[in-house]
Amino acid sequence: MIEAQPPALNDSQRPAFVMDACIMMSGLLRPLLLNLARAGLFDPLWTDKIGQEWQRNAARLWPIDPELLQTEWQRMQTQFPAANMGDVTLHEAPLKHTDRKDKHVAATGIAAVVAAHLGPVSVLTWNIKDFSRSELRRQQLGLIDPDRLLSQWWPTHRQPLSEALDLTVAELVSSGRRQPEPMVGMLRRDRLFRLAGLYERAQKNPVGL
């Protein structure tokens, strides 16, 4: 039996990040990251299994029509056709110290490395403790949470980050998914505490940062 090859990724030096299901659960963080990906800051990665986990958990926790989640998932596939790494089960074999339920997430990153993505590949997750950093490093993968990532990008990518934040919030408010409120409070509620602090200081001193 011939194994299906993972899809070719964009010929790009951009970093790639596996978007764990816990990242997709956020109604602010998911669209923010996707807007940043559209702006060219990184290449998103996922699998159908990650997408299914996100949709299942979101439908269980909140009164969301599963068809709306499926529509959003299909839109993501269309906008980022190289993001879906397909069946990554074979890449779970070397993962001995990563939590069993999260092996498929790390395996998604391994699939991107095997597909010779030109930029660095990392797992983007809130559940840092469920992964073995040393084990991922041996597979040429990084590991980072979204608040740390976005705050690290701020000094060098402040303008695209600010524009993506404004665009994301405007889209959420216009669609009725969020009520207008100060940006800092919205970021803090999504646990983006470092980014909120940077944004707040930038508003107080727009030239100094």
Side-chain angles (χ1 to χ4, degrees):
M1 177 179 178
I2 300 176
E3 294 293 337
Q5 295 299 308
L9 295 175
N10 297 330
D11 184 13
S12 164
Q13 296 285 350
R14 289 189 298 266
F17 292 93
V18 181
M19 293 177 59
D20 196 357
C22 62
I23 301 297
M24 295 188 185
M25 289 290 288
S26 167
L28 173 64
L29 185 56
R30 184 185 68 257
L32 172 60
L33 289 170
L34 294 177
N35 279 331
L36 289 170
R38 291 187 196 98
L41 268 69
F42 76 99
D43 293 328
L45 300 171
W46 51 62
T47 62
D48 287 333
K49 187 171 183 178
I50 292 174
Q52 290 163 5
E53 181 180 349
W54 158 53
Q55 294 174 72
R56 181 175 63 252
N57 290 339
R60 177 174 56 85
L61 292 174
W62 299 302
I64 304 175
D65 186 343
E67 289 188 6
L68 292 177
L69 294 169
Q70 180 61 26
T71 298
E72 174 65 14
W73 177 243
Q74 291 305 320
R75 185 180 299 115
M76 291 164 60
Q77 307 303 307
T78 300
Q79 292 173 344
F80 301 99
N84 196 322
M85 299 309 297
D87 185 356
V88 299
T89 306
L90 287 178
H91 298 299
E92 294 182 16
L95 299 170
K96 307 300 183 183
H97 304 290
T98 292
D99 189 277
R100 178 179 55 84
K101 299 188 298 299
D102 290 302
K103 284 187 176 184
H104 69 101
V105 180
T108 304
I110 296 174
V113 173
V114 170
H117 185 273
L118 296 179
V121 180
S122 299
V123 172
L124 185 62
T125 182
W126 287 118
N127 301 325
I128 298 292
K129 62 180 177 56
D130 291 339
F131 297 85
S132 167
R133 194 178 294 274
S134 60
E135 182 172 70
L136 295 189
R137 191 180 301 117
R138 288 193 293 273
Q139 300 300 323
Q140 303 177 54
L141 298 177
L143 177 67
I144 195 167
D145 71 68
D147 192 28
R148 189 173 296 276
L149 173 67
L150 296 175
S151 61
Q152 287 179 358
W153 276 351
W154 184 264
T156 53
H157 297 84
R158 176 179 162 186
Q159 182 174 344
L161 260 171
S162 296
E163 291 174 351
L165 280 167
D166 291 340
L167 174 62
T168 301
V169 171
E171 290 173 340
L172 291 173
V173 171
S174 65
S175 66
R177 288 182 285 173
R178 289 289 177 103
Q179 295 298 314
E181 65 173 300
M183 179 73 74
V184 171
M186 192 177 295
L187 294 175
R188 285 174 175 160
R189 193 163 59 252
D190 262 66
R191 295 190 289 169
L192 299 171
F193 299 111
R194 292 185 181 90
L195 182 60
L198 291 167
Y199 185 92
E200 186 174 37
R201 288 194 292 275
Q203 296 305 300
K204 293 177 179 177
N205 185 14
V207 178
L209 288 180

Coordinates of all heavy atoms in Angstrom, one line a residue, residues 32-89:
L32 N -7.7 36.3 14.6 CA -6.5 37.2 14.7 C -5.3 36.5 14.0 O -4.6 37.0 13.2 CB -6.2 37.5 16.1 CG -4.8 38.3 16.3 CD1 -4.8 39.6 15.6 CD2 -4.6 38.5 17.8
L33 N -5.1 35.2 14.4 CA -4.0 34.5 13.8 C -4.2 34.3 12.3 O -3.2 34.4 11.5 CB -3.8 33.1 14.5 CG -3.3 33.2 16.0 CD1 -3.4 31.8 16.6 CD2 -1.8 33.7 16.0
L34 N -5.4 34.0 11.9 CA -5.6 33.8 10.5 C -5.4 35.1 9.7 O -4.9 35.1 8.6 CB -7.1 33.3 10.3 CG -7.3 31.9 10.8 CD1 -8.8 31.5 10.6 CD2 -6.4 30.8 10.2
N35 N -5.8 36.2 10.3 CA -5.5 37.5 9.6 C -4.0 37.8 9.6 O -3.5 38.3 8.5 CB -6.2 38.6 10.4 CG -7.7 38.8 10.0 OD1 -8.1 38.4 8.9 ND2 -8.5 39.3 11.0
L36 N -3.3 37.4 10.6 CA -1.8 37.5 10.5 C -1.2 36.6 9.5 O -0.2 37.0 8.8 CB -1.2 37.2 11.9 CG -1.5 38.3 13.0 CD1 -1.1 37.8 14.3 CD2 -0.8 39.6 12.7
A37 N -1.8 35.4 9.3 CA -1.3 34.5 8.3 C -1.6 35.1 6.9 O -0.7 35.0 6.0 CB -2.0 33.1 8.4
R38 N -2.8 35.7 6.7 CA -3.1 36.3 5.4 C -2.1 37.5 5.2 O -1.8 37.7 4.0 CB -4.5 36.8 5.4 CG -5.6 35.7 5.4 CD -7.0 36.3 5.3 NE -7.9 35.3 5.7 CZ -8.5 35.2 6.9 NH1 -8.3 36.2 7.8 NH2 -9.4 34.3 7.1
A39 N -1.7 38.1 6.2 CA -0.7 39.2 6.0 C 0.7 38.7 5.8 O 1.6 39.6 5.5 CB -0.7 40.1 7.3
G40 N 0.9 37.4 5.8 CA 2.2 36.9 5.5 C 3.2 36.7 6.6 O 4.3 36.4 6.4
L41 N 2.7 36.8 7.9 CA 3.6 36.6 9.0 C 4.0 35.1 9.3 O 5.1 34.8 9.8 CB 3.0 37.2 10.3 CG 3.5 38.7 10.5 CD1 2.8 39.6 9.5 CD2 3.1 39.1 11.9
F42 N 3.1 34.2 8.9 CA 3.4 32.8 9.1 C 2.5 31.9 8.3 O 1.5 32.4 7.7 CB 3.3 32.4 10.6 CG 1.8 32.3 11.1 CD1 1.2 31.0 11.2 CD2 1.1 33.4 11.4 CE1 -0.1 30.9 11.6 CE2 -0.2 33.3 11.9 CZ -0.8 32.0 12.0
D43 N 2.8 30.7 8.2 CA 2.0 29.7 7.5 C 1.3 28.8 8.6 O 2.0 28.2 9.4 CB 2.9 28.8 6.6 CG 3.5 29.5 5.4 OD1 2.8 30.5 5.0 OD2 4.6 29.1 5.0
P44 N 0.0 28.8 8.6 CA -0.7 27.9 9.5 C -0.7 26.4 9.1 O -0.6 26.1 7.9 CB -2.2 28.5 9.5 CG -2.3 29.0 8.1 CD -1.0 29.5 7.7
L45 N -0.8 25.6 10.1 CA -0.8 24.1 9.8 C -1.9 23.5 10.7 O -2.1 23.9 11.8 CB 0.6 23.5 10.2 CG 1.8 24.0 9.5 CD1 3.1 23.4 10.1 CD2 1.7 23.6 8.0
W46 N -2.5 22.5 10.2 CA -3.5 21.7 10.9 C -3.8 20.4 10.2 O -3.2 20.1 9.2 CB -4.8 22.5 11.1 CG -5.4 23.1 9.9 CD1 -5.8 22.4 8.8 CD2 -5.5 24.5 9.6 NE1 -6.3 23.3 7.8 CE2 -6.1 24.6 8.3 CE3 -5.3 25.7 10.2 CZ2 -6.4 25.8 7.6 CZ3 -5.5 26.9 9.6 CH2 -6.1 27.0 8.3
T47 N -4.7 19.6 10.8 CA -5.2 18.4 10.2 C -6.7 18.4 10.4 O -7.3 19.1 11.2 CB -4.6 17.2 10.8 OG1 -5.0 17.1 12.2 CG2 -3.1 17.1 10.7
D48 N -7.4 17.5 9.7 CA -8.8 17.3 9.9 C -9.1 16.9 11.3 O -10.1 17.3 11.9 CB -9.4 16.2 8.9 CG -9.4 16.7 7.5 OD1 -9.6 17.9 7.3 OD2 -9.4 15.9 6.6
K49 N -8.2 16.1 11.9 CA -8.4 15.7 13.3 C -8.4 16.9 14.3 O -9.2 17.0 15.2 CB -7.3 14.7 13.7 CG -7.6 14.1 15.1 CD -6.6 12.9 15.4 CE -6.9 12.3 16.7 NZ -6.0 11.1 17.0
I50 N -7.5 17.8 14.1 CA -7.5 19.1 14.9 C -8.8 19.8 14.6 O -9.4 20.3 15.6 CB -6.2 19.9 14.5 CG1 -5.0 19.2 15.0 CG2 -6.4 21.3 15.2 CD1 -3.7 19.9 14.6
G51 N -9.2 20.0 13.4 CA -10.4 20.7 13.1 C -11.6 20.1 13.7 O -12.5 20.7 14.2
Q52 N -11.7 18.7 13.7 CA -12.8 18.0 14.3 C -12.8 18.2 15.8 O -13.9 18.4 16.4 CB -12.7 16.6 13.9 CG -13.0 16.3 12.4 CD -12.5 14.9 12.0 OE1 -12.1 14.1 12.8 NE2 -12.6 14.6 10.7
E53 N -11.7 18.2 16.4 CA -11.6 18.4 17.9 C -12.1 19.8 18.2 O -12.9 20.0 19.2 CB -10.2 18.2 18.3 CG -10.0 18.3 19.8 CD -8.6 18.2 20.3 OE1 -7.7 17.7 19.5 OE2 -8.3 18.5 21.4
W54 N -11.7 20.8 17.5 CA -12.1 22.2 17.7 C -13.6 22.3 17.6 O -14.3 22.8 18.5 CB -11.4 23.1 16.7 CG -12.2 24.4 16.5 CD1 -12.6 25.3 17.5 CD2 -12.6 25.0 15.3 NE1 -13.3 26.3 16.9 CE2 -13.3 26.2 15.6 CE3 -12.5 24.6 14.0 CZ2 -13.8 27.0 14.6 CZ3 -13.0 25.4 13.0 CH2 -13.7 26.5 13.3
Q55 N -14.2 21.7 16.5 CA -15.6 21.9 16.2 C -16.4 21.1 17.3 O -17.5 21.6 17.8 CB -15.9 21.3 14.8 CG -15.4 22.2 13.7 CD -15.6 21.5 12.4 OE1 -16.7 21.5 11.8 NE2 -14.5 21.0 11.8
R56 N -16.0 19.9 17.7 CA -16.7 19.1 18.7 C -16.7 19.8 20.0 O -17.8 19.9 20.7 CB -16.0 17.8 18.8 CG -16.7 16.8 19.8 CD -16.0 15.4 19.7 NE -14.6 15.5 20.1 CZ -13.6 15.3 19.3 NH1 -13.8 15.1 18.0 NH2 -12.4 15.3 19.8
N57 N -15.6 20.4 20.4 CA -15.5 21.0 21.8 C -16.3 22.3 21.8 O -16.9 22.7 22.7 CB -14.0 21.3 22.1 CG -13.3 20.0 22.5 OD1 -13.9 19.0 22.8 ND2 -12.0 20.0 22.4
A58 N -16.2 23.1 20.7 CA -16.9 24.4 20.6 C -18.4 24.1 20.7 O -19.1 24.9 21.3 CB -16.5 25.1 19.3
A59 N -18.9 23.1 19.9 CA -20.3 22.9 19.9 C -20.8 22.4 21.3 O -22.0 22.6 21.6 CB -20.6 21.8 18.8
R60 N -19.9 21.7 22.0 CA -20.3 21.2 23.3 C -20.3 22.3 24.4 O -21.2 22.3 25.3 CB -19.3 20.1 23.7 CG -19.5 19.5 25.1 CD -18.5 18.3 25.4 NE -17.1 18.7 25.2 CZ -16.4 19.3 26.1 NH1 -16.9 19.6 27.3 NH2 -15.1 19.6 25.9
L61 N -19.4 23.2 24.3 CA -19.3 24.3 25.3 C -20.2 25.5 25.1 O -20.6 26.1 26.0 CB -17.8 24.8 25.4 CG -16.8 23.7 25.9 CD1 -15.4 24.3 25.8 CD2 -17.1 23.4 27.4
W62 N -20.5 25.8 23.8 CA -21.3 27.0 23.5 C -22.4 26.7 22.6 O -22.4 25.7 21.8 CB -20.4 28.0 22.9 CG -19.2 28.5 23.7 CD1 -19.3 29.0 25.0 CD2 -17.8 28.3 23.5 NE1 -18.1 29.3 25.5 CE2 -17.1 28.9 24.6 CE3 -17.1 27.9 22.4 CZ2 -15.8 28.9 24.6 CZ3 -15.7 27.9 22.4 CH2 -15.1 28.4 23.5
P63 N -23.5 27.5 22.6 CA -24.7 27.2 21.8 C -24.4 27.7 20.3 O -24.9 28.7 19.9 CB -25.8 28.1 22.4 CG -25.0 29.2 23.1 CD -23.7 28.6 23.6
I64 N -23.5 26.9 19.7 CA -23.1 27.3 18.3 C -23.7 26.2 17.4 O -23.5 25.0 17.6 CB -21.6 27.4 18.2 CG1 -21.0 28.4 19.1 CG2 -21.2 27.7 16.7 CD1 -19.5 28.5 19.1
D65 N -24.2 26.6 16.3 CA -24.7 25.7 15.3 C -23.5 24.9 14.6 O -22.6 25.6 14.1 CB -25.5 26.4 14.2 CG -26.1 25.5 13.2 OD1 -25.8 24.3 13.1 OD2 -27.0 25.9 12.4
P66 N -23.5 23.6 14.7 CA -22.3 22.9 14.2 C -22.1 23.2 12.7 O -21.0 23.1 12.2 CB -22.7 21.4 14.4 CG -23.6 21.4 15.6 CD -24.4 22.7 15.4
E67 N -23.2 23.5 12.0 CA -23.0 23.8 10.6 C -22.2 25.1 10.4 O -21.5 25.2 9.4 CB -24.4 24.0 9.9 CG -25.1 22.6 9.7 CD -26.4 22.8 8.9 OE1 -26.6 23.9 8.3 OE2 -27.1 21.8 8.8
L68 N -22.4 26.1 11.3 CA -21.6 27.3 11.2 C -20.1 27.0 11.4 O -19.2 27.6 10.7 CB -22.0 28.3 12.2 CG -23.4 28.9 12.0 CD1 -23.8 29.8 13.2 CD2 -23.5 29.6 10.7
L69 N -19.8 26.1 12.3 CA -18.4 25.7 12.6 C -17.8 25.0 11.4 O -16.7 25.2 11.0 CB -18.3 24.8 13.8 CG -18.7 25.5 15.1 CD1 -18.8 24.4 16.2 CD2 -17.6 26.5 15.5
Q70 N -18.6 24.1 10.8 CA -18.2 23.4 9.6 C -17.9 24.4 8.4 O -17.0 24.2 7.7 CB -19.2 22.3 9.2 CG -18.8 21.5 8.0 CD -17.5 20.7 8.1 OE1 -17.2 20.4 9.2 NE2 -16.8 20.5 7.0
T71 N -18.8 25.4 8.3 CA -18.6 26.4 7.2 C -17.3 27.1 7.4 O -16.6 27.4 6.5 CB -19.8 27.3 7.2 OG1 -21.0 26.6 6.9 CG2 -19.6 28.4 6.2
E72 N -17.1 27.5 8.7 CA -15.8 28.2 9.0 C -14.6 27.4 8.7 O -13.6 27.9 8.2 CB -15.8 28.7 10.5 CG -14.5 29.3 11.0 CD -14.2 30.6 10.3 OE1 -15.1 31.2 9.6 OE2 -13.0 31.1 10.4
W73 N -14.7 26.1 9.1 CA -13.6 25.2 8.8 C -13.3 25.0 7.3 O -12.2 25.1 6.8 CB -13.9 23.8 9.4 CG -12.9 22.7 9.1 CD1 -13.1 21.6 8.5 CD2 -11.5 22.7 9.6 NE1 -11.9 20.8 8.4 CE2 -11.0 21.5 9.1 CE3 -10.7 23.6 10.3 CZ2 -9.6 21.2 9.4 CZ3 -9.4 23.3 10.6 CH2 -8.9 22.1 10.1
Q74 N -14.4 24.9 6.5 CA -14.2 24.9 5.1 C -13.6 26.1 4.5 O -12.8 26.1 3.5 CB -15.6 24.5 4.4 CG -16.1 23.1 4.7 CD -15.1 22.1 4.3 OE1 -14.4 22.1 3.3 NE2 -15.0 21.0 5.1
R75 N -14.0 27.3 5.1 CA -13.4 28.6 4.6 C -11.9 28.6 4.9 O -11.1 29.1 4.1 CB -14.1 29.7 5.3 CG -13.7 31.1 4.9 CD -14.4 32.2 5.6 NE -15.9 32.1 5.4 CZ -16.7 31.9 6.4 NH1 -16.3 31.7 7.6 NH2 -18.0 31.9 6.1
M76 N -11.5 28.1 6.0 CA -10.1 28.0 6.4 C -9.4 27.1 5.4 O -8.3 27.5 5.0 CB -9.9 27.5 7.8 CG -10.4 28.5 8.9 SD -10.7 27.8 10.5 CE -9.0 27.2 10.9
Q77 N -10.0 26.0 5.0 CA -9.3 25.1 4.0 C -9.1 25.8 2.7 O -8.1 25.7 2.0 CB -10.2 23.9 3.8 CG -10.6 23.1 5.0 CD -9.4 22.7 5.9 OE1 -8.5 22.0 5.4 NE2 -9.4 23.0 7.1
T78 N -10.1 26.6 2.3 CA -10.1 27.3 1.0 C -9.0 28.4 1.0 O -8.3 28.6 0.1 CB -11.4 27.9 0.7 OG1 -12.4 26.8 0.6 CG2 -11.4 28.6 -0.6
Q79 N -9.0 29.1 2.2 CA -8.0 30.3 2.2 C -6.6 29.8 2.4 O -5.7 30.5 2.0 CB -8.4 31.2 3.4 CG -9.7 31.9 3.2 CD -10.2 32.7 4.4 OE1 -9.7 32.4 5.5 NE2 -11.1 33.6 4.2
F80 N -6.4 28.6 3.0 CA -5.0 28.1 3.3 C -5.0 26.7 2.8 O -4.9 25.7 3.6 CB -4.7 28.2 4.8 CG -4.7 29.6 5.3 CD1 -5.9 30.1 6.0 CD2 -3.7 30.5 5.1 CE1 -5.9 31.4 6.5 CE2 -3.8 31.8 5.6 CZ -4.9 32.3 6.3
P81 N -5.0 26.4 1.5 CA -5.0 25.1 1.0 C -3.8 24.2 1.3 O -3.9 23.0 1.3 CB -5.1 25.3 -0.5 CG -4.6 26.7 -0.8 CD -5.0 27.5 0.4
A82 N -2.7 24.8 1.7 CA -1.5 24.1 2.0 C -1.4 23.8 3.5 O -0.5 23.1 4.0 CB -0.2 24.8 1.6
A83 N -2.4 24.2 4.3 CA -2.3 24.1 5.8 C -2.6 22.7 6.3 O -2.0 22.2 7.3 CB -3.2 25.1 6.4
N84 N -3.5 22.0 5.6 CA -3.9 20.7 6.0 C -2.9 19.6 5.7 O -2.7 19.3 4.5 CB -5.3 20.3 5.5 CG -6.0 19.2 6.2 OD1 -5.3 18.3 6.6 ND2 -7.3 19.3 6.4
M85 N -2.3 19.0 6.7 CA -1.2 18.1 6.5 C -1.7 16.6 6.3 O -0.9 15.7 6.2 CB -0.2 18.1 7.7 CG 0.5 19.5 7.8 SD 1.2 20.1 6.3 CE 2.4 18.9 6.0
G86 N -3.0 16.5 6.3 CA -3.6 15.1 6.0 C -3.4 14.2 7.2 O -3.4 14.6 8.3
D87 N -3.3 12.9 6.8 CA -3.2 11.8 7.9 C -1.7 11.8 8.3 O -0.8 11.5 7.6 CB -3.5 10.5 7.3 CG -3.5 9.4 8.3 OD1 -3.2 9.6 9.5 OD2 -3.9 8.2 8.0
V88 N -1.5 12.2 9.6 CA -0.1 12.2 10.2 C 0.1 11.1 11.2 O 1.1 11.2 11.9 CB 0.1 13.6 10.8 CG1 -0.1 14.7 9.8 CG2 -0.9 13.8 12.0
T89 N -0.7 10.1 11.2 CA -0.6 9.0 12.2 C 0.8 8.4 12.2 O 1.3 8.2 13.3 CB -1.6 7.9 11.9 OG1 -2.9 8.5 11.8 CG2 -1.6 6.9 13.0

